[in-house]
Amino acid sequence: MGHHNVSFSFSHEVKKKRQDGIIPQIIKALPATGPCPPCLLVSSLIPCRTATEFHRQFSSTLHSQREADPMLPYSPCSSISFLFSSLSFFVAVLLVDVAISGDPYVYLDWDVSYISVSPLGVKQQVIGINGQFPGPVMNVTTNWNVVVNIRNNLDEPFLVTWNGLQQRKNSWQDGVLGTNCPIPSHWNWTYEFQVKDQIGSFFYFPSINFQKAAGGYGGIIVNNRDVIPLPFGTPDGDITIFISDWYNKGYKELRKTLEDGNDLGIPDGVLFNGLGPYRYNESIVPDGITYETINVEPGKTYRIRVHNVGLSTSLNFRIQDHNLLLVETEGSYTVQQNYTNMDIHVGQSYSFLVTMDQNASSDYYMVASARFVSPDMRNRVTGVAILHYSDSQGSASGPLPDGPDEADTYFSMNQARSIRWNVSAGAARPNPQGSFRYGDITVTDVYVLLNRPAELVNGQLRTTLNAISYVAPSTPLKLAQQFNVPGIYKLDFPNRMMNRPAKFDTSIINGTYKGFTEIIFQNNDSTVQSYHMDGYAFFVVGMDYGTWTENSRGTYNKWDGVARCTTQVFPGAWTAILVYLDNVGIWNLRVQNLDRWYLGQEVYVSVVNPEVTNKTEFSLPDNAIFCGALSSLQKEQSHKFRYSEASSAANSSIMILFWLLIAWLCILSL
């Protein structure tokens, strides 16, 4: 049975559906050509011969009763008895759902397609999800199970990855080329994963074909369980903000520019939530640009989650006359500190508490301005949104609030060093974050990963790590590992830069299961690089300018270095991280700068449990797509715009809940 976006967990998605009636949603999930449910077939409630007819008759009944009494709930019964029985039924459903599946399930149905927008005044094609750009925010709670059906309506393959979600034991759901075959055009594929032992602010985005340059991204909120209090007062509201550099050229034209050996150049602007800048200066911002407005109430405190979802530009975020109290970054609660502005590098996410404590004599500017660009280009790459108090007395005007001094080369690094882990706060689990004393663990493996400016490799402009430009094979690494396909990859990635010319290769890191690995990113390029590791949160223990040496370990923070999934590495500098490799799978380690990533600046880490057990990794999903050397295993295109199957546990839960509903309707008809 297809899920058709049905969920009985008390989630944001379900609350929206209840406004339109949960019963019609479930009826639509019936097979179109299947038989009518048996008890309804003999009932005088709704006569029918097929599920399609049942749906039509049911809808007609609801419509006629609605016309008679617009306030009547969606039911053929009286409103009072219906409400009483509904309450009883949904309590029973909740208990059964919890009993069957343990943790709640939420089902999402996403249609990925091209839509036309004009964020900077130039009409262009972007990637929307359910017609939205940016896409919808996924709002879940620790340990919830998430089932996301992706319909690919693009004219080329598509994959989505979940930036920061660790996919515990389940790299099959990671959504990158090393783990998944792309979803072909006009196919669908259903992701199923659990947000196990995580909290925090993350986002999703397309991981292939340079599609992130066209959007397709959205937010992920993982809330604390009720039994674990927040380390701050409950905010009055929760706001998600996406900031990003942006080009007026389409993503296909941009990727061809790179493939032809050319640089993308300076972006055309910076967006707030997919919208262009407020016209703060008529000589800089053209007329007719639609801008973002964030509406707030005076005296209230809001949690504002800010994600840099751009291509390659570090952005400084600030709100005029308001402090930013940092409380969380990428799944870790931080020591709470006030900042007037924050450098947010590509792929990074932060949560701030912002109190609306101003007099609202006018609206206030929200600014995201490019860092480390020439002064003559700075105005071009500045995004501006409006913070609007409900009692505001006028529009924002005047100059923008100042950002950091661009001549102070240490400002951004010192700010990054100031972000510390809140070792006393509980997060996904009740025990304090600091109970994992990473500074006391012996390091088992060391990798120094060096990147340098793009260079010619076999006549092509490419980027490298340790002089290797990664080549994605047609058969995903994870599938090749599962089926023992020879010659797809090699477990020989060097742990240091080697004295040899740059080359193409599919060489990956052979990680030690439950080993404690030290990775040093050495950036010999001229721009800030952001590095991300799927499957893990790592500890950022040190960064400095110059070349890393063994003596650099003397500067490491071994107590409260923040645990996160994306870290910046400044040009001509290094950043050191520590990561505990306890999550079995094959995991992508990449630069987040999209142009560098597209040209080969990535590697994968294989983590294998030497003991033969099914307890440390989930098995190959039933709905896996096969490609490359394993294409012959692919079934007929049964995925084509239908739900691919979720797990048997999820299906069993839905089937039992469905027949409970049918039984309930039968009782009402007596």
Side-chain angles (χ1 to χ4, degrees):
M1 171 181 172
H3 306 299
H4 207 84
N5 218 12
V6 180
S7 172
F8 290 98
S9 59
F10 286 89
S11 67
H12 175 69
E13 289 292 316
V14 172
K15 288 176 183 176
K16 289 197 297 184
K17 288 178 180 58
R18 288 181 186 171
Q19 295 171 6
D20 299 324
I22 191 69
I23 298 172
Q25 292 291 331
I26 295 175
I27 300 308
K28 290 177 184 177
L30 285 167
T33 58
C36 182
C39 68
L40 295 174
L41 190 63
V42 298
S43 167
S44 61
L45 176 63
I46 300 176
C48 62
R49 287 181 299 275
T50 67
T52 301
E53 184 179 352
F54 174 60
H55 181 202
R56 183 170 60 251
Q57 294 285 347
F58 190 90
S59 300
S60 176
T61 302
L62 297 181
H63 181 70
S64 61
Q65 291 196 11
R66 278 275 174 177
E67 286 185 334
D69 182 1
M71 299 304 294
L72 192 67
Y74 280 113
S75 172
C77 308
S78 68
S79 59
I80 296 177
S81 63
F82 174 81
L83 291 174
F84 180 79
S85 58
S86 293
L87 179 61
S88 301
F89 172 74
F90 281 113
V91 168
V93 161
L94 179 62
L95 293 175
V96 171
D97 193 31
V98 171
I100 294 171
S101 59
D103 295 302
Y105 276 77
V106 58
Y107 296 87
L108 305 173
D109 195 8
W110 289 356
D111 185 272
V112 179
S113 63
Y114 297 117
I115 59 176
S116 293
V117 299
S118 305
L120 297 177
V122 177
K123 189 173 182 179
Q124 60 188 128
Q125 199 175 63
V126 302
I127 296 174
I129 297 179
N130 293 345
Q132 301 177 44
F133 168 68
V137 173
M138 178 191 296
N139 194 337
V140 295
T141 296
T142 302
N143 294 341
W144 279 21
N145 298 283
V146 181
V147 181
V148 187
N149 186 62
I150 302 287
R151 290 188 178 98
N152 178 15
N153 264 311
L154 306 182
D155 59 7
E156 62 181 15
F158 177 83
L159 274 178
V160 62
T161 191
W162 318 93
N163 204 71
L165 295 189
Q166 294 175 14
Q167 306 291 359
R168 302 295 298 179
K169 307 180 185 178
N170 201 8
S171 63
W172 299 110
Q173 308 295 323
D174 201 30
V176 290
L177 285 178
T179 57
N180 297 85
C181 294
I183 306 167
S185 177
H186 300 296
W187 274 43
N188 85 310
W189 196 68
T190 305
Y191 290 85
E192 183 182 357
F193 54 83
Q194 185 179 28
V195 286
K196 182 69 174 174
D197 291 340
Q198 285 193 265
I199 56 92
S201 309
F202 312 100
F203 63 94
Y204 58 85
F205 67 91
S207 64
I208 63 172
N209 292 336
F210 215 71
Q211 291 165 350
K212 185 187 176 190
Y217 51 74
I220 302 172
I221 296 173
V222 184
N223 301 290
N224 279 42
R225 292 179 291 160
D226 290 339
V227 296
I228 302 176
L230 293 168
F232 45 82
T234 302
D236 297 298
D238 201 302
I239 298 168
T240 295
I241 292 177
F242 305 104
I243 55 177
S244 64
D245 54 7
W246 191 258
Y247 291 84
N248 286 328
K249 292 180 180 178
Y251 76 94
K252 294 179 182 178
E253 187 176 354
L254 291 174
R255 79 185 182 205
K256 187 176 187 307
T257 298
L258 291 176
E259 291 166 356
D260 290 343
N262 300 311
D263 187 78
L264 296 181
I266 296 294
D268 294 303
V270 170
L271 306 187
F272 263 89
N273 288 349
L275 299 175
Y278 172 79
R279 200 178 191 196
Y280 68 96
N281 185 318
E282 293 183 1
S283 65
I284 296 173
V285 182
D287 192 16
I289 301 292
T290 302
Y291 58 87
E292 176 72 320
T293 298
I294 303 297
N295 295 303
V296 295
E297 296 294 327
K300 302 290 188 181
T301 296
Y302 295 83
R303 183 172 181 174
I304 299 182
R305 305 172 193 258
V306 187
H307 310 275
N308 185 339
V309 294
L311 277 69
S312 59
T313 306
S314 298
L315 298 171
N316 181 267
F317 176 79
R318 52 198 184 272
I319 303 177
Q320 184 180 26
D321 296 337
H322 290 74
N323 284 324
L324 308 172
L325 180 65
L326 179 65
V327 295
E328 178 258 336
T329 180
E330 297 164 19
S332 285
Y333 290 122
T334 64
V335 172
Q336 296 174 23
Q337 301 180 72
N338 272 310
Y339 295 87
T340 56
N341 62 77
M342 177 65 70
D343 280 350
I344 305 179
H345 304 277
V346 177
Q348 292 187 328
S349 302
Y350 288 96
S351 280
F352 306 101
L353 294 183
V354 181
T355 300
M356 306 306 151
D357 54 5
Q358 299 301 300
N359 59 19
S361 58
S362 67
D363 292 339
Y364 298 92
Y365 293 126
M366 304 179 75
V367 181
S369 58
R371 295 283 273 133
F372 319 116
V373 297
S374 60
D376 59 319
M377 290 293 177
R378 200 161 296 144
N379 288 333
R380 173 174 166 177
V381 278
T382 296
V384 182
I386 293 298
L387 183 72
H388 175 76
Y389 282 49
S390 61
D391 60 349
S392 175
Q393 300 172 33
S395 300
S397 61
L400 300 179
D402 292 332
D405 181 2
E406 289 293 332
D408 185 355
T409 57
Y410 276 90
F411 172 88
S412 191
M413 182 177 287
N414 288 335
Q415 185 183 71
R417 288 168 170 166
S418 72
I419 300 170
R420 300 300 179 95
W421 209 26
N422 186 339
V423 296
S424 63
R429 295 185 177 185
N431 53 303
Q433 293 181 138
S435 59
F436 186 82
R437 299 181 180 273
Y438 68 88
D440 297 338
I441 303 175
T442 301
V443 169
T444 55
D445 300 284
V446 179
Y447 284 84
V448 180
L449 304 183
L450 183 144
N451 68 267
R452 52 195 184 192
E455 56 191 304
L456 289 177
V457 181
N458 294 350
Q460 300 179 44
L461 190 68
R462 300 286 294 187
T463 52
T464 61
L465 285 175
N466 289 359
I468 295 176
S469 187
Y470 180 80
V471 178
S474 59
T475 307
L477 309 174
K478 188 62 187 164
L479 282 174
Q481 182 190 68
Q482 174 75 17
F483 290 90
N484 297 314
V485 182
I488 301 298
Y489 64 90
K490 296 177 288 186
L491 290 167
D492 63 352
F493 192 87
N495 61 4
R496 294 285 198 283
M497 180 71 178
M498 301 181 70
N499 186 21
R500 64 185 184 189
K503 66 173 184 175
F504 291 107
D505 209 346
T506 309
S507 174
I508 70 175
I509 293 173
N510 189 9
T512 302
Y513 177 57
K514 292 193 174 179
F516 202 52
T517 301
E518 177 184 12
I519 301 175
I520 299 95
F521 301 106
Q522 180 72 54
N523 181 8
N524 285 4
D525 203 342
S526 58
T527 59
V528 179
Q529 312 276 296
S530 295
Y531 280 95
H532 174 90
M533 188 173 186
D534 287 350
Y536 293 94
F538 49 68
F539 298 95
V540 182
V541 294
M543 60 178 66
D544 205 352
Y545 285 103
T547 301
W548 181 88
T549 68
E550 304 282 341
N551 293 331
S552 301
R553 293 193 179 103
T555 67
Y556 284 6
N557 176 356
K558 293 191 174 183
W559 168 237
D560 60 357
V562 70
R564 62 187 312 167
C565 58
T566 304
T567 187
Q568 64 272 57
V569 190
F570 294 95
W574 57 267
T575 295
I577 66 170
L578 298 174
V579 57
Y580 182 54
L581 299 181
D582 64 338
N583 191 14
V584 172
I586 291 183
W587 304 105
N588 189 226
L589 177 58
R590 62 179 177 267
V591 68
Q592 292 277 56
N593 307 57
L594 190 59
D595 53 346
R596 300 300 200 269
W597 182 17
Y598 188 74
L599 294 177
Q601 196 171 316
E602 65 176 320
V603 68
Y604 283 82
V605 181
S606 174
V607 182
V608 176
N609 184 351
E611 296 182 11
V612 179
T613 174
N614 59 1
K615 295 182 179 180
T616 57
E617 185 176 24
F618 295 154
S619 57
L620 174 75
D622 294 338
N623 66 341
I625 297 175
F626 295 96
C627 54
L630 298 170
S631 296
S632 62
L633 299 180
Q634 181 59 47
K635 301 174 183 178
E636 293 296 322
Q637 294 187 10
S638 56
H639 302 71
K640 203 167 186 177
F641 287 162
R642 294 182 182 177
Y643 270 97
S644 49
E645 291 298 316
S647 72
S648 57
N651 286 335
S652 298
S653 176
I654 288 299
M655 287 298 294
I656 293 174
L657 294 175
F658 171 75
W659 286 114
L660 274 175
L661 173 61
I662 298 303
W664 173 64
L665 289 173
C666 290
I667 292 171
L668 290 180
S669 69
L670 298 177

